[in-house]
Protein backbone atom coordinates (compact mmCIF):
# COMPACT_ATOMS: atom_id res chain seq x y z
CA UNK A 1 0.00 0.00 0.00
CA UNK A 2 1.94 3.09 -1.20
CA UNK A 3 -0.07 5.50 0.99
CA UNK A 4 -1.78 4.79 4.30
CA UNK A 5 -3.13 6.91 7.10
CA UNK A 6 -2.97 5.80 10.70
CA UNK A 7 -2.96 7.44 14.12
CA UNK A 8 -2.37 10.97 12.83
CA UNK A 9 0.32 9.98 10.38
CA UNK A 10 0.59 9.52 6.61
CA UNK A 11 2.76 6.55 5.69
CA UNK A 12 4.21 6.39 2.19
CA UNK A 13 6.24 3.59 0.68
CA UNK A 14 8.12 3.15 -2.56
CA UNK A 15 7.87 -0.05 -4.62
CA UNK A 16 11.63 -0.58 -4.14
CA UNK A 17 11.49 -0.30 -0.36
CA UNK A 18 12.02 3.33 0.66
CA UNK A 19 9.49 4.76 3.08
CA UNK A 20 8.54 7.96 4.87
CA UNK A 21 6.23 8.96 7.69
CA UNK A 22 4.59 12.36 7.99
CA UNK A 23 2.92 13.46 11.21
CA UNK A 24 -0.17 15.52 10.42
CA UNK A 25 0.87 17.66 13.37
CA UNK A 26 3.21 20.21 11.92
CA UNK A 27 3.32 18.24 8.63
CA UNK A 28 6.52 16.96 10.22
CA UNK A 29 8.35 14.23 8.31
CA UNK A 30 9.44 11.99 11.19
CA UNK A 31 11.01 9.18 9.21
CA UNK A 32 12.71 8.70 5.84
CA UNK A 33 14.19 5.27 5.26
CA UNK A 34 16.21 4.95 2.08
CA UNK A 35 19.06 3.05 0.52
CA UNK A 36 21.46 4.50 -2.05
CA UNK A 37 23.01 3.29 -5.28
CA UNK A 38 26.30 2.17 -3.66
CA UNK A 39 24.53 0.83 -0.57
CA UNK A 40 20.96 -0.40 -1.21
CA UNK A 41 20.29 -1.28 2.46
CA UNK A 42 17.42 0.81 3.82
CA UNK A 43 18.57 3.08 6.67
CA UNK A 44 16.84 5.83 8.63
CA UNK A 45 18.12 9.15 7.31
CA UNK A 46 16.51 11.48 9.84
CA UNK A 47 17.07 11.97 13.55
CA UNK A 48 14.12 12.17 15.93
CA UNK A 49 14.93 12.45 19.62
CA UNK A 50 13.61 9.54 21.68
CA UNK A 51 12.28 12.24 24.01
CA UNK A 52 10.43 14.02 21.20
CA UNK A 53 6.77 14.76 21.82
CA UNK A 54 4.66 13.23 19.01
CA UNK A 55 1.19 13.80 20.49
CA UNK A 56 0.73 17.29 19.03
CA UNK A 57 1.36 19.14 22.24
CA UNK A 58 4.68 20.66 21.13
CA UNK A 59 6.85 20.79 18.01
CA UNK A 60 8.76 17.59 17.21
CA UNK A 61 12.42 17.50 18.21
CA UNK A 62 13.70 16.08 14.97
CA UNK A 63 12.64 14.99 11.51
CA UNK A 64 11.82 17.89 9.18
CA UNK A 65 9.87 20.60 11.03
CA UNK A 66 8.31 23.17 8.67
CA UNK A 67 9.28 26.70 9.71
CA UNK A 68 6.75 29.38 8.61
CA UNK A 69 6.07 32.38 8.62
CA UNK A 70 9.08 33.33 10.72
CA UNK A 71 12.48 31.80 11.46
CA UNK A 72 13.72 32.10 15.03
CA UNK A 73 12.16 34.84 17.14
CA UNK A 74 9.69 36.93 15.06
CA UNK A 75 10.99 40.24 13.71
CA UNK A 76 8.14 41.26 11.36
CA UNK A 77 5.27 43.33 12.86
CA UNK A 78 2.69 40.86 11.46
CA UNK A 79 4.46 38.00 13.24
CA UNK A 80 4.81 39.65 16.63
CA UNK A 81 2.36 37.33 18.43
CA UNK A 82 3.98 34.16 17.11
CA UNK A 83 6.46 31.87 18.84
CA UNK A 84 9.92 30.80 17.73
CA UNK A 85 9.88 29.41 14.18
CA UNK A 86 6.23 30.37 13.61
CA UNK A 87 3.05 28.29 13.69
CA UNK A 88 3.31 25.80 10.78
CA UNK A 89 5.26 23.20 12.80
CA UNK A 90 2.77 23.28 15.67
CA UNK A 91 -0.58 23.16 13.88
CA UNK A 92 -2.56 20.13 12.74
CA UNK A 93 -2.46 19.90 8.93
CA UNK A 94 -4.99 18.10 6.73
CA UNK A 95 -4.21 15.19 4.43
CA UNK A 96 -5.49 16.48 1.09
CA UNK A 97 -4.65 13.89 -1.58
CA UNK A 98 -2.30 11.53 -3.29
CA UNK A 99 -0.65 13.64 -5.98
CA UNK A 100 1.34 10.88 -7.65
CA UNK A 101 1.59 7.13 -7.28
CA UNK A 102 3.59 5.28 -9.88
CA UNK A 103 6.76 3.29 -10.28
CA UNK A 104 8.91 6.44 -10.01
CA UNK A 105 7.49 7.45 -6.66
CA UNK A 106 4.69 8.63 -4.43
CA UNK A 107 3.61 12.21 -3.68
CA UNK A 108 1.15 13.30 -1.04
CA UNK A 109 -0.30 16.75 -0.36
CA UNK A 110 -1.12 18.23 3.02
CA UNK A 111 -2.79 21.60 3.53
CA UNK A 112 -3.08 24.23 6.25
CA UNK A 113 -5.57 27.10 6.26
CA UNK A 114 -6.39 29.83 8.77
CA UNK A 115 -8.20 28.55 11.86
CA UNK A 116 -8.84 30.04 15.29
CA UNK A 117 -5.56 28.74 16.77
CA UNK A 118 -3.76 30.63 14.02
CA UNK A 119 -5.88 33.73 13.39
CA UNK A 120 -5.71 34.73 17.04
CA UNK A 121 -1.99 35.33 16.45
CA UNK A 122 -1.64 35.83 12.70
CA UNK A 123 -4.14 38.03 10.88
CA UNK A 124 -3.15 37.67 7.24
CA UNK A 125 -5.09 35.33 4.87
CA UNK A 126 -3.02 32.47 3.44
CA UNK A 127 -3.20 28.89 2.15
CA UNK A 128 -0.34 26.42 2.59
CA UNK A 129 0.14 23.25 0.60
CA UNK A 130 2.95 20.89 1.47
CA UNK A 131 3.86 18.21 -1.05
CA UNK A 132 6.11 15.37 0.08
CA UNK A 133 7.50 13.12 -2.64
CA UNK A 134 9.29 9.83 -2.07
CA UNK A 135 11.45 8.32 -4.81
CA UNK A 136 13.77 5.32 -4.61
CA UNK A 137 16.66 7.31 -3.14
CA UNK A 138 15.11 10.76 -2.76
CA UNK A 139 12.72 12.70 -0.55
CA UNK A 140 11.50 16.11 -1.59
CA UNK A 141 9.39 18.65 0.24
CA UNK A 142 7.66 21.55 -1.49
CA UNK A 143 5.99 24.35 0.45
CA UNK A 144 3.42 26.35 -1.53
CA UNK A 145 2.44 29.64 0.11
CA UNK A 146 -0.55 31.39 -1.44
CA UNK A 147 -1.59 34.93 -0.58
CA UNK A 148 -5.36 34.51 -0.61
CA UNK A 149 -5.99 38.17 0.24
CA UNK A 150 -8.16 40.53 -1.84
CA UNK A 151 -6.42 42.02 -4.86
CA UNK A 152 -6.13 45.30 -2.98
CA UNK A 153 -4.35 43.70 0.00
CA UNK A 154 -0.62 44.19 0.60
CA UNK A 155 1.93 41.46 -0.17
CA UNK A 156 2.16 38.57 2.30
CA UNK A 157 5.62 38.74 3.88
CA UNK A 158 7.16 35.66 5.51
CA UNK A 159 10.21 33.48 6.05
CA UNK A 160 10.27 29.73 5.40
CA UNK A 161 12.74 26.93 6.15
CA UNK A 162 12.96 23.15 6.24
CA UNK A 163 14.53 22.33 9.61
CA UNK A 164 16.20 19.05 8.58
CA UNK A 165 17.65 16.88 11.37
CA UNK A 166 19.94 14.64 9.30
CA UNK A 167 21.07 11.48 11.08
CA UNK A 168 24.89 11.33 11.08
CA UNK A 169 27.75 11.01 13.61
CA UNK A 170 28.14 14.73 14.30
CA UNK A 171 31.85 14.37 15.07
CA UNK A 172 32.44 13.04 11.55
CA UNK A 173 30.22 15.07 9.24
CA UNK A 174 31.25 17.79 6.79
CA UNK A 175 29.03 20.21 4.85
CA UNK A 176 30.19 21.65 1.53
CA UNK A 177 30.38 24.05 -0.28
CA UNK A 178 30.14 27.02 2.05
CA UNK A 179 33.62 28.52 1.71
CA UNK A 180 33.47 32.25 1.01
CA UNK A 181 29.78 32.52 1.99
CA UNK A 182 28.70 35.27 4.41
CA UNK A 183 27.14 33.97 7.60
CA UNK A 184 25.74 35.20 10.90
CA UNK A 185 26.91 33.44 14.06
CA UNK A 186 24.03 32.89 16.49
CA UNK A 187 26.39 31.37 19.05
CA UNK A 188 27.77 34.85 19.77
CA UNK A 189 26.74 36.13 23.18
CA UNK A 190 25.68 39.64 22.14
CA UNK A 191 23.11 40.83 19.61
CA UNK A 192 25.74 43.18 18.20
CA UNK A 193 28.10 40.27 17.46
CA UNK A 194 25.26 38.05 16.23
CA UNK A 195 24.42 40.79 13.69
CA UNK A 196 28.01 41.03 12.45
CA UNK A 197 28.57 39.31 9.07
CA UNK A 198 31.42 36.80 8.95
CA UNK A 199 32.82 34.95 5.94
CA UNK A 200 33.25 31.18 6.01
CA UNK A 201 36.91 30.37 5.45
CA UNK A 202 36.67 26.56 5.70
CA UNK A 203 36.44 24.39 2.60
CA UNK A 204 34.26 21.99 4.64
CA UNK A 205 32.13 22.93 7.63
CA UNK A 206 32.10 20.59 10.63
CA UNK A 207 30.01 20.78 13.82
CA UNK A 208 32.56 19.51 16.30
CA UNK A 209 31.87 22.70 18.25
CA UNK A 210 28.59 24.43 19.07
CA UNK A 211 27.42 25.70 15.67
CA UNK A 212 24.44 27.88 14.84
CA UNK A 213 25.32 29.65 11.61
CA UNK A 214 22.93 31.36 9.18
CA UNK A 215 24.58 31.43 5.74
CA UNK A 216 23.13 34.09 3.45
CA UNK A 217 22.85 33.79 -0.34
CA UNK A 218 24.30 30.28 -0.18
CA UNK A 219 24.90 28.01 -3.21
CA UNK A 220 21.59 26.09 -2.91
CA UNK A 221 23.10 22.62 -3.30
CA UNK A 222 24.93 21.08 -0.34
CA UNK A 223 26.58 17.77 0.44
CA UNK A 224 26.31 16.43 3.98
CA UNK A 225 28.98 13.75 4.09
CA UNK A 226 30.11 11.33 6.79
CA UNK A 227 31.87 7.95 6.60
CA UNK A 228 28.49 6.19 6.86
CA UNK A 229 26.18 8.38 4.76
CA UNK A 230 26.09 11.12 2.18
CA UNK A 231 23.02 13.26 1.63
CA UNK A 232 22.72 15.92 -1.08
CA UNK A 233 20.41 18.79 -0.25
CA UNK A 234 19.25 20.71 -3.30
CA UNK A 235 17.12 23.81 -2.61
CA UNK A 236 15.01 26.00 -4.91
CA UNK A 237 13.87 29.53 -3.96
CA UNK A 238 15.62 29.07 -0.60
CA UNK A 239 18.60 31.44 -0.78
CA UNK A 240 19.92 30.80 2.73
CA UNK A 241 20.97 27.76 4.74
CA UNK A 242 21.35 27.22 8.49
CA UNK A 243 23.83 24.77 10.01
CA UNK A 244 23.12 23.88 13.63
CA UNK A 245 24.33 21.49 16.27
CA UNK A 246 24.17 22.49 19.95
CA UNK A 247 26.83 20.06 21.19
CA UNK A 248 26.78 18.95 24.81
CA UNK A 249 26.64 22.23 26.72
CA UNK A 250 23.63 23.68 24.87
CA UNK A 251 22.16 20.33 23.83
CA UNK A 252 21.90 19.00 27.38
CA UNK A 253 19.67 22.00 28.22
CA UNK A 254 17.10 21.10 25.52
CA UNK A 255 14.31 19.35 27.44
CA UNK A 256 13.23 16.96 24.66
CA UNK A 257 16.75 16.12 23.45
CA UNK A 258 17.72 12.54 24.25
CA UNK A 259 20.96 12.08 26.15
CA UNK A 260 23.81 12.61 23.71
CA UNK A 261 21.38 13.24 20.85
CA UNK A 262 23.61 16.04 19.53
CA UNK A 263 26.16 13.34 18.68
CA UNK A 264 23.76 11.77 16.19
CA UNK A 265 22.57 14.57 13.89
CA UNK A 266 23.38 17.73 12.03
CA UNK A 267 20.76 20.28 11.08
CA UNK A 268 21.27 21.55 7.52
CA UNK A 269 18.28 23.77 6.92
CA UNK A 270 17.61 25.41 3.55
CA UNK A 271 15.39 28.45 3.90
CA UNK A 272 14.57 32.02 3.09
CA UNK A 273 15.39 33.54 6.48
CA UNK A 274 17.44 36.69 5.87
CA UNK A 275 14.77 39.21 4.87
CA UNK A 276 11.25 38.25 3.84
CA UNK A 277 9.57 36.69 0.84
CA UNK A 278 6.80 39.00 -0.44
CA UNK A 279 3.90 37.38 -2.31
CA UNK A 280 1.29 39.57 -4.01
CA UNK A 281 -2.38 38.87 -3.48
CA UNK A 282 -3.55 35.90 -5.50
CA UNK A 283 0.02 34.68 -6.13
CA UNK A 284 1.81 31.58 -4.82
CA UNK A 285 5.43 31.14 -3.78
CA UNK A 286 7.04 27.68 -3.84
CA UNK A 287 10.09 26.70 -1.83
CA UNK A 288 11.48 23.24 -2.50
CA UNK A 289 14.21 20.93 -1.29
CA UNK A 290 15.28 17.58 -2.75
CA UNK A 291 17.20 15.28 -0.41
CA UNK A 292 19.14 12.54 -2.22
CA UNK A 293 20.76 9.61 -0.43
CA UNK A 294 24.11 9.12 -2.20
CA UNK A 295 25.60 6.73 0.35
O1 LIG B 1 17.79 26.39 13.22
C1 LIG B 1 18.63 26.56 14.33
C2 LIG B 1 17.80 27.11 15.49
O2 LIG B 1 17.26 28.36 15.16
C3 LIG B 1 18.68 27.15 16.73
O3 LIG B 1 18.94 28.48 17.12
C4 LIG B 1 17.86 26.38 17.77
O4 LIG B 1 17.00 27.26 18.47
C5 LIG B 1 17.11 25.41 16.86
O5 LIG B 1 16.70 26.23 15.77
C6 LIG B 1 15.96 24.67 17.52
O6 LIG B 1 14.91 25.54 17.79
P1 LIG B 1 13.63 24.95 18.57
O7 LIG B 1 12.65 26.10 18.65
O8 LIG B 1 13.10 23.81 17.75
O9 LIG B 1 14.14 24.47 19.90
Amino acid sequence: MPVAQQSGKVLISHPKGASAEILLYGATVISWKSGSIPSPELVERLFVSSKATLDGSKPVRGGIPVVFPCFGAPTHPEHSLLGQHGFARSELWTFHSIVMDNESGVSVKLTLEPKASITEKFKRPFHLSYIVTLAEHQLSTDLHVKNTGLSTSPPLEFQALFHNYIRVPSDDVLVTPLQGITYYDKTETSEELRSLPKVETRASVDVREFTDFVYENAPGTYEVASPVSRIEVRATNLKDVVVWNPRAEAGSKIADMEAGGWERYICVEPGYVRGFVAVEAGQTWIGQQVLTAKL
Side-chain angles (χ1 to χ4, degrees):
M1 168 72 84
V3 180
Q5 289 189 70
Q6 68 178 11
S7 52
K9 290 189 284 190
V10 180
L11 312 176
I12 51 182
S13 55
H14 187 276
K16 295 195 175 172
S19 66
E21 290 186 29
I22 312 159
L23 204 58
L24 290 176
Y25 176 77
T28 313
V29 178
I30 56 172
S31 173
W32 170 40
K33 292 189 174 83
S34 177
S36 63
I37 291 174
S39 174
E41 180 198 356
L42 297 174
V43 294
E44 177 58 66
R45 301 296 178 156
L46 301 176
F47 169 85
V48 175
S49 168
S50 57
K51 293 174 70 177
T53 302
L54 301 178
D55 63 4
S57 58
K58 66 176 289 190
V60 176
R61 177 66 58 205
I64 307 178
V66 180
V67 171
F68 175 88
C70 57
F71 171 73
T75 57
H76 189 289
E78 293 177 347
H79 306 160
S80 60
L81 297 178
L82 300 177
Q84 156 118 324
H85 292 337
F87 57 75
R89 65 172 183 167
S90 46
E91 288 291 339
L92 190 63
W93 291 58
T94 301
F95 176 71
H96 179 275
S97 56
I98 298 171
V99 176
M100 176 183 75
D101 174 8
N102 58 39
E103 67 287 343
S104 72
V106 184
S107 269
V108 294
K109 178 177 176 180
L110 286 68
T111 57
L112 184 68
E113 296 179 328
K115 49 184 165 179
S117 56
I118 298 174
T119 56
E120 63 193 14
K121 297 173 290 186
F122 183 73
K123 306 302 181 187
R124 297 301 305 276
F126 68 91
H127 181 279
L128 300 185
S129 294
Y130 191 52
I131 296 170
V132 179
T133 302
L134 177 71
E136 186 179 1
H137 300 140
Q138 279 183 336
L139 180 82
S140 64
T141 62
D142 300 12
L143 181 65
H144 298 226
V145 180
K146 181 171 186 178
N147 178 350
T148 55
L150 299 174
S151 59
T152 53
S153 55
L156 177 66
E157 296 186 335
F158 60 89
Q159 297 168 331
L161 171 136
F162 299 123
H163 204 295
N164 303 319
Y165 284 75
I166 298 172
R167 179 178 290 274
V168 285
S170 59
D171 281 339
D172 274 340
V173 63
L174 295 173
V175 184
T176 54
L178 291 170
Q179 192 169 35
I181 303 299
T182 295
Y183 70 96
Y184 295 84
D185 182 351
K186 290 174 62 181
T187 69
E188 290 287 0
T189 51
S190 74
E191 185 49 44
E192 182 190 2
L193 289 176
R194 286 193 291 270
S195 306
L196 200 64
K198 299 180 179 179
V199 176
E200 182 55 70
T201 56
R202 296 171 292 178
S204 302
V205 170
D206 65 71
V207 287
R208 294 191 190 95
E209 295 180 2
F210 177 21
T211 303
D212 194 355
F213 297 170
V214 181
Y215 292 87
E216 186 171 26
N217 297 322
T221 298
Y222 315 100
E223 184 165 273
V224 183
S226 77
V228 296
S229 77
R230 197 161 70 244
I231 300 286
E232 178 190 76
V233 180
R234 191 160 20 98
T236 303
N237 277 345
L238 300 170
K239 66 180 178 67
D240 311 315
V241 66
V242 176
V243 177
W244 174 63
N245 186 293
R247 303 310 306 189
E249 185 182 346
S252 55
K253 297 176 184 138
I254 299 174
D256 54 1
M257 178 67 73
E258 69 185 45
W262 50 86
E263 295 167 0
R264 292 183 279 281
Y265 76 86
I266 185 173
C267 280
V268 178
E269 315 158 22
Y272 193 116
V273 298
R274 293 284 305 174
F276 296 93
V277 181
V279 177
E280 298 293 337
Q283 301 301 305
T284 298
W285 171 89
I286 300 175
Q288 180 190 61
Q289 69 171 349
V290 179
L291 306 180
T292 305
K294 298 211 158 180
L295 174 66

